[in-house]
């Protein structure tokens, strides 16, 4: 008789971008939202380029925030 061996497997972590970002948008007196994630900018990308790309990304999912004010934006290395 064979004794089964307990086996645990940990799923491989999902691929992540080179940078972690967070963006908070607000429509004063109406709505606010914060989104975050990871992002790998193309070579030569400036911080402003990344901000514009990420803002467009968020607004694509939330078109009502197109005219929102940016309250907070952070873009940092995703490595500790």
């Amino acid at each position: 008789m064979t004794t089964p061996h307990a086996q645990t497997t940990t799923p491989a972590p999902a691929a992540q971008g080179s940078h972690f970002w967070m963006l908070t948008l607000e429509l004063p007196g109406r709505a606010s939202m914060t989104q975050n994630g990871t992002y790998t900018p193309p070579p030569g990308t400036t911080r402003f380029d990344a901000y514009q790309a990420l803002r467009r990304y968020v607004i694509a999912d939330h078109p009502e925030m197109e005219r929102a004010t940016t309250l907070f934006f952070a873009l940092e290395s995703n490595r500790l």
Side-chain angles (χ1 to χ4, degrees), residues 24-71:
T24 300
L25 300 174
E26 178 186 46
L27 290 168
R30 293 183 280 167
S32 66
M33 63 170 296
T34 299
Q35 272 194 276
N36 63 66
T38 63
Y39 171 67
T40 301
T45 299
T46 65
R47 184 176 175 83
F48 182 74
D49 295 337
Y51 163 74
Q52 294 286 14
L54 293 166
R55 185 178 167 95
R56 283 190 302 271
Y57 170 77
V58 169
I59 290 171
D61 284 341
H62 302 278
E64 70 278 9
M65 301 303 281
E66 184 174 11
R67 298 182 58 105
T69 300
T70 299
L71 292 179

Side-chain angles (χ1 to χ4, degrees), residues 2-29:
T2 321
T3 304
H5 295 283
Q7 192 173 34
T8 58
T9 57
T10 304
Q16 294 184 13
S18 62
H19 290 73
F20 173 79
W21 63 272
M22 184 172 288
L23 177 64
T24 300
L25 300 174
E26 178 186 46
L27 290 168

